[in-house]
Amino acid sequence: MNKKLLALLVIAPLLISCSGKKSSQYHEEWVKDTNGFDILMGQFAHNIENIWGINEVLIAGPKDYVKYSDNYYTRSHINFESGNITVETISGTDPMASLRQAIVTTLLIGDDPGNVDLYSDANDIVISKEPLLYGQVLDNTGQPIRWQGRAGNFADYLLQNKLQRRVSGLHVIYSVTIPMVPNHLDKRAHKYLPMVRKAAEQYGVDASLILAIMQTESSFNPYAVSHSDALGLMQVVQHTAGVDVFRMKGKWGKPSRSYLLDPENNIDAGTAYLSLLQKSYLGGIQDPLSRRYAVITAYNGGAGSVLRVFSSDKDRAFNTINSMSPSQVYNTLTTQHPSAESRRYLYKVSTAQRSYHRY
């Protein structure tokens, strides 16, 4: 990770509320919380840099599970997009023992991230009856890994046959890389399908759209976090979408981190927010396909920014959109939206959604 990215971690951008307007009622509170998170992330990145070196800083992200252990000298990295797991250590005492323990723990991690602190080296991983990676990783005999005995045997095989060694700065880094099965993404999507269908029916949102957003946001990583503290499978931000959804449900305040890191709560909140965009913030768009393109873009950058692409006046923006064909709306949003990320986001989600229509 370079210094520019480290700076982004320390000075995360202030967010605009999900309706595209600044929320005066909650603004002071969430700025305070966001600043606190920025400080935490900055201190954490600094600690990792001091131990591993400037070129070896690795921190959890939306599609990357990164967990440190062994006084930060050992870490596990699951890239849910590429489907690769890397476990590595710079321990100078017993690196093989450190690697073995981390491999076993990583293979058996549960699918409930609520009690796991990704910003510490605490040994707080709970091994569940069906690990998060069950069926997504096969051992050297081609079997899925559910229990500690099989995980330990596979760890021993990896250390004997797949151990790698490299030098970075003053450190010798020992590592093993474990590939996930080719269809790992589909396996995770299928795991969350009952929750997605329940939310889709409750809020009137297409299941294929929910799945496409989950893939684009997190690659179905329930531990997903971002430098702006978006959380979980659908990357819901407590202070913006979280507040809007709680208000919609008649609740005061905002959801907690542990609430949003629960997969079912996260899918419910993300889908509820999609329904708000669909029926309220962007409900003035008449054509369902045009509205879907606007909703997708707004999920990334806010409804206000979508409307301002067409006019600074809200009513005029709706009239302009309603005078255009869906393909014209799509082309406008993918070429003229001020955020390059939002322009790409519409393309990514629309492309991904095509592969989930069977659901």
Side-chain angles (χ1 to χ4, degrees), residues 175-216:
S175 68
V176 296
T177 299
I178 309 166
M180 297 166 75
V181 297
N183 63 337
H184 62 93
L185 199 67
D186 285 340
K187 284 186 174 291
R188 288 195 302 282
H190 192 265
K191 182 185 187 75
Y192 297 113
L193 197 52
M195 300 177 193
V196 168
R197 285 177 172 157
K198 177 183 175 183
E201 184 176 351
Q202 180 176 351
Y203 295 108
V205 177
D206 287 346
S208 61
L209 177 58
I210 302 168
L211 289 163
I213 284 179
M214 289 167 69
Q215 176 184 320
T216 304

Side-chain angles (χ1 to χ4, degrees), residues 171-274:
H171 297 297
V172 176
I173 301 177
Y174 294 97
S175 68
V176 296
T177 299
I178 309 166
M180 297 166 75
V181 297
N183 63 337
H184 62 93
L185 199 67
D186 285 340
K187 284 186 174 291
R188 288 195 302 282
H190 192 265
K191 182 185 187 75
Y192 297 113
L193 197 52
M195 300 177 193
V196 168
R197 285 177 172 157
K198 177 183 175 183
E201 184 176 351
Q202 180 176 351
Y203 295 108
V205 177
D206 287 346
S208 61
L209 177 58
I210 302 168
L211 289 163
I213 284 179
M214 289 167 69
Q215 176 184 320
T216 304
E217 291 285 353
S218 68
S219 288
F220 303 100
N221 168 22
Y223 289 83
V225 292
S226 77
H227 70 266
S228 56
D229 208 18
L231 300 169
L233 293 160
M234 297 187 73
Q235 288 290 275
V236 180
V237 180
Q238 293 169 272
H239 320 289
T240 54
V243 167
D244 285 1
V245 168
F246 261 31
R247 188 185 296 127
M248 168 189 175
K249 292 173 174 286
K251 297 181 180 180
W252 174 254
K254 66 188 180 192
S256 66
R257 286 179 61 86
S258 60
Y259 178 93
L260 287 178
L261 284 170
D262 176 88
E264 187 163 11
N265 290 340
N266 191 277
I267 292 169
D268 178 87
T271 307
Y273 178 57
L274 283 171

Side-chain angles (χ1 to χ4, degrees), residues 13-84:
L14 292 180
L15 304 174
I16 300 299
S17 81
C18 298
S19 62
K21 302 174 184 176
K22 290 186 178 180
S23 169
S24 57
Q25 184 174 0
Y26 297 97
H27 184 75
E28 183 178 344
E29 178 187 353
W30 64 251
V31 166
K32 180 179 178 182
D33 286 354
T34 302
N35 287 343
F37 181 74
D38 293 347
I39 293 169
L40 169 67
M41 290 290 285
Q43 290 173 340
F44 183 68
H46 183 67
N47 289 341
I48 301 307
E49 180 185 339
N50 284 342
I51 295 170
W52 284 77
I54 182 65
N55 295 319
E56 296 291 339
V57 175
L58 187 61
I59 295 175
K63 300 181 180 182
D64 294 275
Y65 167 95
V66 180
K67 176 62 177 166
Y68 288 83
S69 58
D70 188 27
N71 292 317
Y72 297 99
Y73 281 81
T74 303
R75 66 187 177 196
S76 302
H77 174 205
I78 306 171
N79 186 313
F80 284 95
E81 187 169 33
S82 69
N84 282 312

Side-chain angles (χ1 to χ4, degrees), residues 82-102:
S82 69
N84 282 312
I85 303 166
T86 303
V87 184
E88 52 192 358
T89 187
I90 55 174
S91 173
T93 50
D94 193 348
M96 296 307 104
S98 296
L99 269 184
R100 187 183 191 280
Q101 179 60 47

